[in-house]
């Protein structure tokens, strides 16, 4: 029997993909194999190939401790062995980058937050810049302040050490547009470079150390003569720059070799493009044409926030404002690695490929992302000009819809994964909220929009590829249009045989349409709130609807009647998928809960609680062994069906228990009582344990103390629980008190540690007092009988 036909009982989390970069400082390790990213007040270490799960520095802290001691910024040493982090509490912590443990920590004397941290070339000095306009120098081995550099104004934005460690020079930039250079040993201000008119964002030394290149928000690049402090060249770049890196001579960038006699600088800013300038000639020698970073939406906005160059790999890393890290090979400038640091809200998920090898994800972004499931390497897909809301795919095509009122058709191929837009549909007049592809032929798709229209689109067998850059994409032909509902339409679905289309709307109704002419086949009324999703059963003539009224309803397609209503969610049901050949359901709610339902019994089989907020997206693999969920908490969670392994484990456990029970019976029949005691405790059988202790008392067998002493702590605790249970019945007070006596002696000797001792004592004391009172009365009666007998004895002798 296939796994599709088998009923699922238990799903467990296999992988949990969270954000690893939420904005702020980023560093590339010297070996260029890992990135260090600021992630909500902690530091995440992520592998460049994304094969390994990110490691978080300070992970052992609780959320409240992280909130109390948020990391503002950090720096990595030039050897890559140490990381220094600046905290809200004013502490600097030195971490070992291999073990991820804190080696040293000390208090800074900055007034306010630390904004920048940098190691000098020999890693013997750490410079910290703060919001108090000062730069302080620290000896990381002794944790002492070597000096304070004053002169800047406002927040320290940039700190750069001179590449020659012997020069003892550090450059700092505040908010006052001036670049200052100090000797950090003598703490003297040596040079001041004046030329920018707005905030300076980057400073980089040339290879020969005679020139500096600086970038700024004033849309200019300046080449400085370091000795004379003169601006050799001021280049207007017509975009606010965020980062600049001087590139080494001999490097090939986009097929152009850099000459030794000149200074070349790569810069990035609001245009979202990396440009390489030949500084002395003020010429752009390379301009990126294949950028995956969107241009800033408004003037002065952010697009590229950081640029890094790795000499060992000859690659350049670009960090974008929407938290993506893109690694480019310098020679061809092709993107070789894409890391998505933060997905924001996950709006839709769809699996691609014959073996479900790829997963496409729509987030709060104009681009959607395609991940390789095995490595979680990311690929950004650009095309839409507003947020992508919905995705659907078959073996040949992927179709996407967006807030830009359009749908796009993409063709993709596997190994390696490539995707390109082949057509665009532009007939909607408002946000296109949902889109779906026909199941059988894949020759049409349907879309619904906030303009309350349902449209079907014809997909031709062949598309002519667009020639040249300016050629527009082919237009999808809209074959049918119908004003379908009175309010926004949330969802659309095509039946497995491609003959029917179902829609669900905010007007609380679902409608069934004939796919050939969009005539109404039926209307489903019964929900009291807007309907979020509709689904056709894969095997029966049944339509499923789920709505904001916390209900899931199953409808007959023959007479349009409601067959079943499933209630269990406490908030809106946002998504439901059929499982096990239409015998089970998987539902996702706005309360962050996933529920597995059996349709036959209308019962919830399992509730899964891992998400922290609304779950918008669900997708199930073809064999149904794995499903993915995503939502407002930006988490993508991979769930695995462990029903079979759980059943096997239960069977093995049962088999083991039966064997132990047989062995217990054998030991009891052989009167090996003390051996049987351990086995009864192992099986957690209070009645069997009671019988054994009673037998020990009857046969007056010695060695109970010794046997209890040899028991493990868990077994002793189990015996204590059993004894407290027996103690509630006056018939069993003797074995109970005997066991309690032995265990209390073990406790006093320090051989038995009890968790929740107070709770156990509270449970046993009232019954023990009652037993003691009853025995006392019993002893009194015995004494009275004994006294009576003694009194009677002389009289009995006289009568004889």
């Amino acid at each position: 029997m296939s796994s599709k036909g088998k009923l699922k009982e238990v799903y467990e989390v296999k992988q949990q993909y969270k954000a690893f970069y939420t904005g702020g400082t980023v560093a590339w390790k010297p070996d260029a194999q890992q990135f260090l990213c600021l992630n909500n007040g902690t530091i995440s270490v992520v592998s460049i190939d994304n094969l390994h799960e990110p490691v978080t520095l300070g992970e052992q802290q609780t959320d409240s401790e992280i909130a109390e001691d948020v990391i503002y910024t950090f720096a990595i040493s030039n050897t890559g062995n140490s990381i220094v982090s600046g905290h809200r509490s004013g502490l600097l912590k030195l971490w070992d980058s291999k073990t991820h443990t804190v080696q040293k920590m000390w208090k800074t004397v900055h007034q306010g937050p630390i904004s920048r941290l940098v190691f000098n070339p020999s890693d013997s000095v750490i410079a910290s810049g703060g919001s108090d306009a000062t730069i302080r120098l620290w000896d990381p081995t002794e944790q002492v302040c070597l000096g304070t550099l004053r002169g800047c104004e406002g927040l320290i934005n940039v700190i750069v050490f001179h590449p020659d460690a012997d020069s003892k020079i550090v450059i700092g930039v505040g908010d006052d547009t001036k670049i200052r250079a100090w000797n950090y040993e003598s703490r003297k201000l040596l040079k001041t470079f004046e030329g920018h008119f707005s905030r300076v964002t980057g400073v980089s030394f040339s290879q020969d150390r005679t020139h500096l290149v600086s970038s700024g928000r004033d849309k200019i690049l300046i080449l400085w003569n370091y000795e004379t402090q003169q601006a050799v060249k001021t280049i207007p770049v017509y975009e606010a720059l965020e980062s600049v890196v001087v590139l080494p001579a001999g490097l090939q960038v986009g097929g152009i070799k850099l000459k030794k006699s000149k200074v070349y600088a790569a810069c990035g800013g609001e245009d979202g493009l990396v440009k390489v300038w030949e500084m002395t000639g003020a010429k752009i020698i390379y301009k990126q044409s294949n950028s995956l970073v969107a241009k800033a939406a408004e003037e002065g906005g952010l697009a590229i926030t950081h640029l890094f160059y790795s000499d060992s790999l000859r690659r350049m890393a670009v960090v974008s404002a929407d938290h993506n890290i893109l690694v480019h090979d310098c020679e061809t400038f092709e993107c070789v690695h894409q890391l998505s640091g933060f997905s924001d809200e996950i709006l839709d998920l769809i699996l691609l490929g014959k073996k479900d090898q790829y997963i496409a994800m729509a987030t709060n972004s104009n681009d959607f992302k395609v991940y390789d499931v095995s490595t979680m390497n990311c690929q950004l897909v650009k095309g839409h000009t507003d947020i992508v809301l919905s995705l659907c795919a078959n073996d040949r095509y992927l179709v996407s819809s967006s807030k830009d009122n359009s749908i796009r058709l993409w063709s993709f191929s596997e190994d390696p994964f490539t995707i390109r837009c082949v057509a665009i549909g532009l007939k909607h007049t408002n946000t296109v909220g949902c889109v779906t592809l026909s199941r059988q032929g894949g020759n049409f798709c349907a879309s619904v929009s906030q303009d309350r229209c349902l449209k079907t689109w014809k997909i031709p067998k062949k598309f002519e590829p667009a020639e040249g850059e300016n050629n527009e994409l082919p237009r999808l032909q809209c074959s049918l249009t119908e004003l379908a509902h009175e309010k926004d339409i949330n969802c659309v679905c095509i039946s497995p045989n491609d003959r029917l289309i179902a829609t669900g709307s905010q007007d609380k109704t679902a409608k069934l349409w004939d796919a050939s002419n969009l005539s109404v086949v039926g209307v489903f009324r019964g929900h009291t709130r807007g309907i979020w999703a509709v689904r056709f059963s894969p095997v029966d003539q049944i339509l499923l609807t789920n709505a904001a009224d916390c209900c899931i309803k199953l409808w007959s397609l023959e007479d349009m009647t409601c067959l079943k209503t499933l209630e269990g969610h406490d908030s809106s049901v946002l998504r439901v998928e059929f499982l096990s050949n239409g015998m089970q359901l998987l539902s996702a709610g706005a309360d962050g809960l996933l529920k597995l339902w059996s349709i036959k019994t209308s019962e919830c089989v399992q509730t899964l609680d891992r998400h922290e907020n609304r779950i918008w997206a669900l997708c199930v693999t073809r064999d149904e062994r794995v499903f993915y969920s995503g939502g407002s908490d930006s988490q993508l969670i991979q769930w695995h069906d462990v029903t079979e392994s759980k059943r096997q484990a239960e069977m093995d456990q049962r088999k083991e228990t039966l064997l132990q029970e047989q062995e217990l019976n054998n030991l009891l029949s052989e009167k090996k009582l003390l051996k049987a005691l351990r086995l009864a405790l192992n099986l957690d059988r209070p009645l069997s344990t009671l019988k054994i202790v009673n037998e020990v008392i009857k046969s007056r067998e010695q060695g109970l103390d010794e046997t209890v002493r040899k028991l493990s702590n868990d077994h002793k605790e189990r015996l204590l629980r059993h004894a407290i249970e027996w103690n509630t019945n006056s018939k069993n007070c003797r074995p109970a008190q005997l066991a309690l006596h032995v265990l209390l002696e073990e406790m006093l000797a320090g051989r038995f540690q009890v968790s929740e001792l107070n709770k156990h004592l509270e449970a046993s004391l009232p019954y023990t007092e009652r037993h003691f009172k009853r025995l006392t009365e019993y002893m009194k009666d015995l004494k009275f009988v004994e006294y009576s007998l003694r009194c009677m004895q002389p009289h009995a002798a006289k009568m004889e």
Side-chain angles (χ1 to χ4, degrees):
M1 196 178 183
S2 70
S3 69
K4 265 194 176 185
K6 292 177 182 174
L7 292 180
K8 318 289 185 291
E9 290 175 9
V10 188
Y11 276 101
E12 283 182 358
V13 174
K14 190 179 181 184
Q15 285 286 352
Q16 204 165 344
Y17 304 102
K18 294 183 178 180
F20 60 80
Y21 174 51
T22 53
T25 313
V26 183
W28 202 359
K29 273 196 171 183
D31 62 3
Q33 294 306 309
Q34 289 176 318
F35 283 101
L36 278 78
C37 311
L38 205 58
N39 179 15
N40 283 327
T42 61
I43 301 169
S44 288
V45 183
V46 63
S47 168
I48 192 171
D49 53 17
N50 217 9
L51 284 168
H52 311 290
E53 208 168 322
V55 177
T56 304
L57 267 66
E59 203 171 21
Q60 64 273 17
Q61 292 178 304
T62 62
D63 287 343
S64 60
E65 284 174 330
I66 289 169
E68 283 296 313
D69 207 12
V70 166
I71 296 173
Y72 284 141
T73 187
F74 65 88
I76 187 160
S77 64
N78 296 287
T79 58
N81 295 330
S82 300
I83 300 161
V84 64
S85 58
H87 296 252
R88 178 188 279 173
S89 58
L91 287 174
L92 285 179
K93 292 185 182 179
L94 195 69
W95 305 74
D96 185 297
S97 66
K98 287 177 183 172
T99 60
H100 306 124
T101 53
V102 177
Q103 304 292 306
K104 291 165 183 174
M105 68 172 84
W106 65 97
K107 187 86 175 167
T108 66
V109 279
H110 282 287
Q111 300 295 312
I114 300 162
S115 56
R116 285 285 178 273
L117 285 167
V118 184
F119 280 88
N120 76 335
S122 63
D123 294 339
S124 58
V125 175
I126 296 170
S128 65
S131 58
D132 56 359
T134 63
I135 298 170
R136 297 184 190 275
L137 288 313
W138 305 91
D139 181 341
T141 52
E142 301 293 330
Q143 299 98 58
V144 292
C145 183
L146 302 172
T148 304
L149 309 176
R150 292 184 174 87
C152 291
E153 291 177 21
L155 182 78
I156 302 296
N157 295 313
V158 179
I159 302 174
V160 177
F161 278 96
H162 194 286
D164 296 330
D166 298 336
S167 66
K168 310 290 185 190
I169 288 169
V170 65
I171 286 176
V173 180
D175 284 335
D176 58 346
T177 74
K178 293 177 184 177
I179 302 167
R180 295 175 172 83
W182 290 267
N183 181 310
Y184 59 79
E185 274 198 342
S186 63
R187 298 191 288 286
K188 282 185 182 175
L189 181 64
L190 303 176
K191 300 173 192 293
T192 304
F193 303 85
E194 295 184 43
H196 283 281
F197 302 103
S198 186
R199 179 177 162 181
V200 178
T201 53
V203 175
S204 186
F205 274 92
S206 65
Q207 273 194 303
D208 57 6
R209 321 294 191 233
T210 58
H211 292 91
L212 270 182
V213 179
S214 63
S215 64
R217 294 264 174 91
D218 50 7
K219 305 187 179 183
I220 58 172
L221 270 176
I222 301 180
L223 177 69
W224 304 90
N225 184 311
Y226 179 69
E227 296 303 324
T228 64
Q229 303 170 48
Q230 296 300 309
V232 178
K233 211 78 176 174
T234 302
I235 304 170
V237 293
Y238 307 108
E239 64 165 325
L241 297 177
E242 286 299 314
S243 189
V244 65
V245 177
V246 171
L247 299 175
L251 179 71
Q252 283 215 344
V253 180
I256 299 158
K257 194 168 183 179
L258 307 186
K259 296 172 184 174
K260 285 187 179 177
S261 56
K262 295 178 179 175
V263 178
Y264 297 90
C267 61
E270 65 178 319
D271 281 356
L273 305 171
V274 175
K275 297 169 188 172
V276 180
W277 289 83
E278 194 266 282
M279 295 299 297
T280 45
K283 290 187 299 187
I284 294 181
I285 63 150
Y286 177 77
K287 183 178 178 180
Q288 191 182 4
S289 59
N290 59 344
S291 177
L292 292 165
V293 182
K295 187 178 178 178
E298 55 192 38
E299 193 177 344
L302 295 176
I304 292 174
T305 56
H306 299 81
L307 273 183
F308 300 100
Y309 171 71
S310 167
D311 206 27
S312 58
L313 290 182
R314 300 230 154 188
R315 286 178 178 175
M316 195 175 289
V318 176
V319 183
S320 70
D322 50 1
H323 312 112
N324 297 317
I325 302 170
L326 312 163
V327 182
H328 294 268
D329 180 80
C330 285
E331 193 168 335
T332 59
F333 231 81
E334 288 297 314
C335 187
V336 287
H337 294 290
Q338 297 179 35
L339 303 171
S340 178
F342 178 59
S343 294
D344 204 1
E345 270 194 270
I346 298 171
L347 304 176
D348 204 1
L349 294 169
I350 192 79
L351 286 155
L352 305 173
K354 289 173 183 174
K355 294 180 180 176
D356 295 327
Q357 191 183 346
Y358 301 95
I359 187 166
M361 181 195 293
T363 63
N364 265 3
S365 168
N366 304 354
D367 316 325
F368 63 90
K369 297 161 187 171
V370 180
Y371 291 89
D372 185 325
V373 170
S374 55
T375 62
M376 286 315 282
N377 278 339
C378 173
Q379 186 169 331
L380 293 171
V381 183
K382 299 183 77 66
H384 284 286
T385 56
D386 208 334
I387 290 170
V388 178
L389 294 175
S390 175
L391 300 168
C392 190
N394 59 19
D395 289 339
R396 289 180 61 210
Y397 294 117
L398 182 146
V399 63
S400 60
S401 72
S402 163
K403 280 189 176 181
D404 60 11
N405 306 353
S406 74
I407 69 167
R408 282 178 179 257
L409 189 72
W410 311 78
S411 74
F412 61 88
S413 58
E414 301 178 58
D415 299 324
F417 184 83
T418 54
I419 187 166
R420 67 185 181 90
C421 189
V422 291
I424 184 169
L426 294 169
K427 294 287 183 182
H428 280 290
T429 59
N430 209 326
T431 297
V432 187
C434 189
V435 69
T436 183
L437 272 163
S438 61
R439 305 282 186 91
Q440 282 187 328
N443 56 358
F444 77 97
C445 66
S447 63
V448 291
S449 164
Q450 284 182 11
D451 60 12
R452 296 178 288 165
C453 285
L454 163 65
K455 291 181 187 286
T456 59
W457 308 79
K458 190 178 177 185
I459 298 173
K461 289 185 179 177
K462 278 191 176 180
F463 288 97
E464 294 299 321
E467 292 178 10
E469 283 186 23
N470 299 323
N471 280 20
E472 287 190 6
L473 287 164
R475 297 287 169 88
L476 281 174
Q477 185 186 340
C478 179
S479 48
L480 295 164
T481 300
E482 186 66 40
L483 189 65
H485 287 269
E486 295 170 13
K487 291 186 179 178
D488 293 355
I489 309 172
N490 290 330
C491 51
V492 63
C493 187
I494 297 173
S495 65
N497 62 4
D498 290 352
R499 290 182 184 173
L500 297 170
I501 298 173
T503 56
S505 164
Q506 285 296 105
D507 64 8
K508 307 171 192 174
T509 65
K511 290 186 180 180
L512 200 63
W513 309 84
D514 188 319
S516 59
N517 58 11
L518 287 193
S519 59
V520 178
V521 178
V523 181
F524 304 94
R525 291 185 176 90
H527 283 290
T528 56
R529 295 282 181 88
I531 294 170
W532 280 113
V534 286
R535 284 286 180 272
F536 285 96
S537 169
V539 288
D540 298 313
Q541 290 196 3
I542 287 173
L543 182 75
L544 177 147
T545 58
N546 55 274
D549 59 4
C550 315
C551 293
I552 301 164
K553 288 182 183 284
L554 296 167
W555 308 83
S556 167
L557 296 181
E558 291 177 353
D559 54 10
M560 312 300 160
T561 55
C562 181
L563 301 172
K564 274 193 179 182
T565 300
L566 305 177
E567 296 178 343
H569 282 279
D570 293 329
S571 55
S572 299
V573 186
L574 302 175
R575 195 72 177 262
V576 183
E577 296 289 346
F578 278 99
L579 292 174
S580 315
N581 286 331
M583 294 164 73
Q584 288 183 294
L585 298 175
L586 187 65
S587 65
D591 49 6
L593 295 177
L594 289 155
K595 287 182 182 285
L596 181 65
W597 302 83
S598 167
I599 292 177
K600 190 176 179 181
T601 61
S602 305
E603 288 178 354
C604 176
V605 179
Q606 189 189 13
T607 299
L608 307 165
D609 183 9
R610 267 303 176 89
H611 284 280
E612 294 158 18
N613 215 322
R614 289 184 185 87
I615 303 168
W616 288 114
L618 275 182
C619 65
V620 186
T621 57
R622 291 174 206 202
D623 61 7
E624 295 182 354
R625 286 180 182 162
V626 174
F627 77 87
Y628 296 85
S629 61
S632 301
D633 55 1
S634 82
Q635 286 191 80
L636 173 68
I637 299 181
Q638 182 184 10
W639 303 84
H640 196 62
D641 177 20
V642 292
T643 308
E644 283 300 310
S645 57
K646 286 274 181 188
R647 280 179 187 159
Q648 191 60 48
E650 281 173 15
M651 282 175 69
D652 292 345
Q653 182 66 41
R654 200 174 165 196
K655 193 176 174 183
E656 182 67 29
T657 304
L658 286 167
L659 286 169
Q660 287 185 342
E661 282 179 354
Q662 185 59 52
E663 193 182 342
L664 178 63
N665 291 333
N666 292 343
L667 288 170
L668 287 171
S669 62
E670 292 169 17
K671 298 289 182 185
K672 293 180 179 175
L673 300 174
L674 298 174
K675 275 189 181 179
L677 177 65
R678 185 173 295 172
L679 202 53
L681 288 169
N682 209 31
L683 290 165
D684 200 8
R685 298 285 166 83
L687 191 62
S688 299
T689 317
L690 175 63
K691 283 177 183 174
I692 292 163
V693 175
N694 276 326
E695 282 294 320
V696 169
I697 291 167
K698 278 181 192 173
S699 61
R700 296 188 179 181
E701 189 175 334
Q702 298 298 311
L704 183 65
D705 298 19
E706 278 297 317
T707 306
V708 171
R709 194 171 297 155
K710 286 174 185 175
L711 292 174
S712 69
N713 207 71
D714 287 345
H715 281 158
K716 286 176 185 174
E717 200 153 335
R718 210 168 278 177
L719 182 60
L720 178 63
R721 282 204 311 274
H722 291 184
I724 289 163
E725 202 175 313
W726 310 333
N727 201 38
T728 57
N729 192 330
S730 57
K731 289 179 188 174
N732 307 323
C733 69
R734 191 176 175 196
Q737 291 299 321
L738 176 64
L740 285 170
H741 174 71
V742 173
L743 288 168
L744 283 169
E745 279 187 343
E746 287 294 295
M747 215 182 296
L748 291 169
R751 291 188 290 267
F752 176 32
Q753 281 80 41
V754 196
S755 59
E756 300 178 326
L757 178 61
N758 291 349
K759 187 179 165 186
H760 291 312
L761 287 174
E762 279 173 23
S764 63
L765 275 172
Y767 291 102
T768 304
E769 283 172 4
R770 200 181 300 167
H771 299 324
F772 181 72
K773 195 174 179 183
R774 195 180 61 255
L775 283 170
T776 308
E777 291 298 322
Y778 181 55
M779 290 296 287
K780 279 183 190 173
D781 291 346
L782 277 176
K783 291 286 181 190
F784 179 71
V785 170
E786 194 181 322
Y787 171 74
S788 301
L789 283 169
R790 278 187 191 161
C791 290
M792 287 162 66
Q793 271 174 357
H795 300 290
K798 282 179 187 176
M799 289 193 57
E800 283 173 7

